[in-house]
Amino acid sequence: MESADLKEELNCSICLGLYTEPISLKCGHNFCWDCIVTVLDTQKSGDYSCPECREMFTERPSLEKNRKLCNIVEHFRSAHQEEVEVLCTYCDPPVPASKSCLHCEASFCEKHLSNHSKSAHHILIEPTTSFGDRKCFTHQEMLKYYCTEDRACICMSCWVAGDHRGHQVELLKEASEKTKEELRELINELDSKKQEIQRRIQNLENHRAQEDGKTTAVVRRAVELFREVKKQLDDIEKRVLLEMCRQKKQISQSVSDLIQQLEEQKDELCRKIHQMEELGNIQDPLTFLNKAPKRDDMSPETGDTISDVRNVGCLVEGIISKMLQRGLCGFHQSLRDLMTKRQFSVLEKSDVLLDINTAHDNLIIAKKRKRATHIDNGVNRPDGPKRFKSCQVLSIDSFTSGTHYWEVDVSEAEEWLIGVATQSMERKIKGNESFIGYNDKSWSLSQRASILQVRHKNIVTNIDSKSLLKTVGIHLDYEAGRLSFYQLCDPIRHLHTFTATFTEPLYPAFYMFPKSSIRIIK
């Protein structure tokens, strides 16, 4: 609806101006409070009617303020206050007013304002036409007080004999100043919070910039490392290929030499065959016998004959494999040197061994303390302060500093729960309060019913996973307070990182479900 159309809808049909304290009659028509009161006062008792539709009322209509319409009018006034010009009540023709008096409910230009009463009861405000909002709806008196209990502006009658009788009240100015002071304090609090948020934002921006810089440096070092690694691998490849070419050339030369010898023997045999065929064509027996050679003279010389390829030689793959082995073994050490040169730390696996003194009776510890298996009929182990009442086991050694890494094979367990626990974690409670991750003394990664979760203080976070995990890598940076879990697949997938301040020794920890087995990878 256009502004002009809306204004027309908000005009009183009696005074033709915007509603002031709009009142609704039973027939549904609305009027200003003062306008309808004036009209009803002129009508006779029993002949009351609506000025708009002329509907008759046997009794004087009860007047109820239309609060919804009142709000609409106030929003309209606020939105169009620049368009509404307040005029002096006493000027003819009207001129713009400079002040309005709440007591007189009139507006004054500079000329008439000079003659206006200077009494304290005559409160001057900026020019306005909305005096009704500054009056008590019940008593039609000026709102001068503020009820602190009901947080409402009231008149004298409300305080003395009305709904707010006996309540703690203040003058509007005093209440306004106190509220403004509270508002200033609230603004200061909010400003402090805003500054704190801004500081945190700046810290995050600085962290991102630092990490961007680190990433750029690491990428550069990685590119240089791969370049050198490729060069060394190329050298190994070159040596192996050269050896293969050498052997190929040697075998080819041997074959060529032997073929040449065999060709010579073949030619000699062809000559002898031709000679014998010519002798065979002689018809005279005497002549033939005199010229025929002895059999021993015509037999092939077997001493120089080479009969098969076994004398030639073959590609010696064992030599090639040995060269590869030596080259790659040397490359392994060279790679460590290159990583050190390029400032990449070599991540060594920590030697994690399971502590049988902490294992629940239903857990069998085997394979040099690298495997734990859940069985239904447990073994009777002597109880001790370290042993768990739940199906859990810790490692023998703890971590109190540095970085550590270990891997766990969970392929033989459909459900599992692994992580780290502090030395002081409760071990004698059978309930889940002692489970890894269900308290503030431990952190865990679990897989149950194909759902992957991380947990600390029994606060759970689900991890998206498209497949069941087979192998898990765990990395602990004690000083940095970071515990990270990885899915060891191709490529390696980061699952979650806990951040905390570690103050106690940390032990690798494992919870075993029935018919399951886990293995710490060497």
Side-chain angles (χ1 to χ4, degrees), residues 202-216:
Q202 188 60 48
N203 288 341
L204 289 172
E205 292 288 355
N206 293 340
H207 178 72
R208 177 164 61 184
Q210 291 176 0
E211 293 304 309
D212 287 346
K214 289 181 182 178
T215 302
T216 302

Side-chain angles (χ1 to χ4, degrees), residues 145-167:
Y145 303 97
Y146 181 75
C147 176
T148 58
E149 295 184 24
D150 296 330
R151 301 180 67 86
C153 298
I154 62 175
C155 67
M156 176 62 77
S157 296
C158 290
W159 181 25
V160 174
D163 295 338
H164 302 273
R165 181 173 54 187
H167 290 186

Side-chain angles (χ1 to χ4, degrees), residues 298-485:
M298 299 302 292
S299 299
E301 297 177 1
T302 56
D304 297 331
T305 302
I306 298 178
S307 59
D308 56 46
V309 298
R310 288 178 294 180
N311 304 85
V312 176
C314 301
L315 181 69
V316 185
E317 293 188 29
I319 296 297
I320 304 301
S321 298
K322 190 63 178 178
M323 290 185 66
L324 283 171
Q325 181 181 357
R326 294 186 63 182
L328 292 177
C329 286
F331 172 73
H332 181 265
Q333 181 59 45
S334 177
L335 179 60
R336 296 172 64 91
D337 296 339
L338 287 175
M339 291 182 66
T340 303
K341 175 183 176 183
R342 295 301 175 190
Q343 301 176 352
F344 285 101
S345 59
V346 179
L347 188 61
E348 299 285 357
K349 287 183 185 176
S350 301
D351 189 19
V352 176
L353 301 176
L354 299 176
D355 186 358
I356 196 170
N357 293 321
T358 67
H360 185 266
D361 288 347
N362 283 18
L363 300 185
I364 297 298
I365 308 302
K367 298 291 183 180
K368 298 182 179 180
R369 301 193 177 187
K370 293 284 187 179
R371 179 184 288 274
T373 303
H374 186 286
I375 60 174
D376 293 333
N377 298 320
V379 296
N380 291 322
R381 298 190 180 106
D383 194 11
K386 294 183 178 181
R387 194 171 308 285
F388 280 100
K389 290 291 185 182
S390 55
C391 292
Q392 297 184 149
V393 61
L394 300 184
S395 65
I396 295 177
D397 296 322
S398 63
F399 304 129
T400 57
S401 63
T403 58
H404 306 273
Y405 176 76
W406 62 101
E407 296 176 355
V408 184
D409 180 354
V410 294
S411 60
E412 298 180 44
E414 292 185 2
E415 297 184 332
W416 45 266
L417 193 156
I418 59 179
V420 299
T422 63
Q423 191 172 25
S424 63
M425 188 178 78
E426 181 58 51
R427 309 186 187 199
K428 300 303 180 181
I429 299 177
K430 290 186 177 180
N432 59 11
E433 293 181 12
S434 65
F435 292 0
I436 309 166
Y438 284 72
N439 48 68
D440 62 352
K441 302 292 185 180
S442 56
W443 297 257
S444 72
L445 171 71
S446 66
Q447 179 176 277
R448 300 198 65 185
S450 302
I451 298 175
L452 199 63
Q453 296 177 331
V454 289
R455 188 188 302 259
H456 174 59
K457 295 183 180 179
N458 207 17
I459 299 174
V460 178
T461 301
N462 289 336
I463 306 296
D464 291 334
S465 179
K466 297 181 180 179
S467 61
L468 295 177
L469 271 63
K470 300 298 183 181
T471 311
V472 179
I474 305 171
H475 184 264
L476 170 67
D477 190 333
Y478 193 94
E479 281 80 11
R482 296 174 65 86
L483 175 68
S484 301
F485 294 92

Side-chain angles (χ1 to χ4, degrees), residues 3 30 71 82 86 89 138-139 164-165 178 233 238-239 243 261 263 299 348 371 446:
S3 177
N30 303 298
N71 291 334
E82 295 181 359
V86 180
T89 306
T138 304
H139 303 103
H164 302 273
R165 181 173 54 187
K178 287 184 179 180
L233 286 174
K238 184 178 180 180
R239 291 200 300 271
E243 172 60 20
Q261 293 178 24
E263 289 288 348
S299 299
E348 299 285 357
R371 179 184 288 274
S446 66

